[in-house]
Amino acid sequence: MIPDPIETFSALYAQASAAGPEADAMVLATVDPDGRPSARYVLLKGVDARGFVFYTNLGSRKASALAAHPYASLCFYWSPIGRQVRVEGSVERVSGEEADAYFATRPRASQIGAWASAQSTPLESRETLVQRVAEARERFEGGDVPRPPFWSGYRVVPSAIEFWTSDPARLHVRERFAREGGGRGEWRRELLFP
Ligand SMILES: Cc1cc2nc3c(=O)[nH]c(=O)nc-3n(C[C@H](O)[C@H](O)[C@H](O)COP(=O)(O)O)c2cc1C
C-alpha cells in the first residue's frame, strides 16, 4: 500500500514547523502569459486532501499568470530537517466563503493592507502607499474590514509531489508521487536518482 503523499507532507510540515521558523514559506512558480516562468515566495495557509492553499491579490502578476496558465509548482526547503518538497499541479480559486473565513482571521493591519495595495502595479512613491493605508483605515473605522473583491485564495491541486531527503553521504533520497486524472487519480510512487 502506497502512503498518501499529502498525509506524508502534513506530517513533515508539522515536524518542520516545530524544528524552525517559516516552514510555511513556499516558492510559487507560475508561467507568465508570454510563456516565461516567474517565481516568488507565498505562505501556505492550508493543506488537505484537496490541495495547497495560498492567498493573494487577484490583480497581481501571479494572478495574471494563473489566468493564462492555471498550473503552478510549489517548492519548500526545510533546512532544520534536511528536506525539500516539490509540488506540481493545476490551480483553482478557493470559494468566496473560504476566502472570507480566512480573511476574517487576519490581523486588522493585514486586512487594511490588502485594501491599500494594488499589488504588482507601479507605485509612484512610498507616500502614496502610506496615504492609501490611511484612507482604508478611515473608511473601515469602527467596523469589521470586509474581504476586498480583488483579494482571494488559490488552491494548487497536486498531480505530483516529490520528497527529497538529504543524506550525509550525498546519496539523497528522491521519492516522487504522481497521479493522473486532474488530481483525482490513484497515486503512483517511484524513486529517482538524486
Ligand atoms: C516569506 C514571504 C511570504 C510571502 N507571502 C505572500 C503571500 O502569502 N501572498 C502574497 O500575495 N505575497 C506574499 N509575499 C510577497 C510575494 O513574494 C510577492 O512579492 C508578491 O506577492 C507579488 O508577486 P507577483 O508580482 O509575482 O504577483 C511573500 C513574500 C515573502 C518573502
Side-chain angles (χ1 to χ4, degrees), residues 22 25-26 30 38-45 54-57 59-63 106 119-120 151:
E22 300 184 301
M26 55 188 189
T30 53
S38 59
R40 78 291 284 153
Y41 276 95
V42 292
L43 296 179
L44 177 67
K45 290 298 176 184
F54 63 91
Y55 287 88
T56 195
N57 185 302
S60 66
R61 178 174 169 191
K62 70 182 86 53
R106 299 188 89 207
Q119 192 177 60
S120 311
W151 190 98

Side-chain angles (χ1 to χ4, degrees), residues 68-85:
H69 302 288
Y71 297 92
S73 168
L74 304 172
C75 192
F76 297 83
Y77 176 49
W78 297 320
S79 155
I81 63 167
R83 297 287 197 135
Q84 170 181 250
V85 184

Side-chain angles (χ1 to χ4, degrees), residues 8-183:
T8 303
F9 175 89
S10 298
L12 281 178
Y13 181 47
Q15 265 182 43
S17 303
E22 300 184 301
D24 54 352
M26 55 188 189
V27 174
L28 163 73
T30 53
V31 179
D32 284 343
D34 57 9
R36 297 182 185 208
S38 59
R40 78 291 284 153
Y41 276 95
V42 292
L43 296 179
L44 177 67
K45 290 298 176 184
V47 57
D48 60 22
R50 296 169 297 168
F52 298 75
V53 173
F54 63 91
Y55 287 88
T56 195
N57 185 302
L58 301 178
S60 66
R61 178 174 169 191
K62 70 182 86 53
S64 310
L66 290 170
H69 302 288
Y71 297 92
S73 168
L74 304 172
C75 192
F76 297 83
Y77 176 49
W78 297 320
S79 155
I81 63 167
R83 297 287 197 135
Q84 170 181 250
V85 184
R86 297 165 66 176
V87 176
E88 287 146 36
S90 57
V91 177
E92 55 190 37
R93 287 263 295 277
V94 305
S95 69
E97 296 74 43
E98 191 174 346
D100 286 342
Y102 170 65
F103 191 78
T105 69
R106 299 188 89 207
R108 194 172 174 89
S110 308
Q111 294 177 331
I112 294 288
W115 277 98
S117 176
Q119 192 177 60
S120 311
T121 64
L123 174 63
E124 288 154 33
S125 70
R126 184 91 194 146
E127 289 70 51
T128 305
L129 177 60
V130 171
Q131 191 189 330
R132 284 174 59 112
V133 168
E135 282 165 9
R137 216 180 269 135
E138 196 175 321
R139 175 170 171 195
F140 298 111
E141 205 172 340
D144 288 344
V145 182
R147 177 174 62 90
F150 54 82
W151 190 98
S152 191
Y154 290 93
R155 175 174 281 111
V156 179
V157 179
S159 53
I161 303 181
E162 183 192 311
F163 299 98
W164 179 98
T165 308
S166 171
D167 177 81
R170 302 280 153 201
L171 301 178
H172 310 302
V173 177
R174 289 181 65 189
E175 208 181 1
R176 182 178 159 93
F177 293 82
R179 65 179 168 184
E180 308 293 335

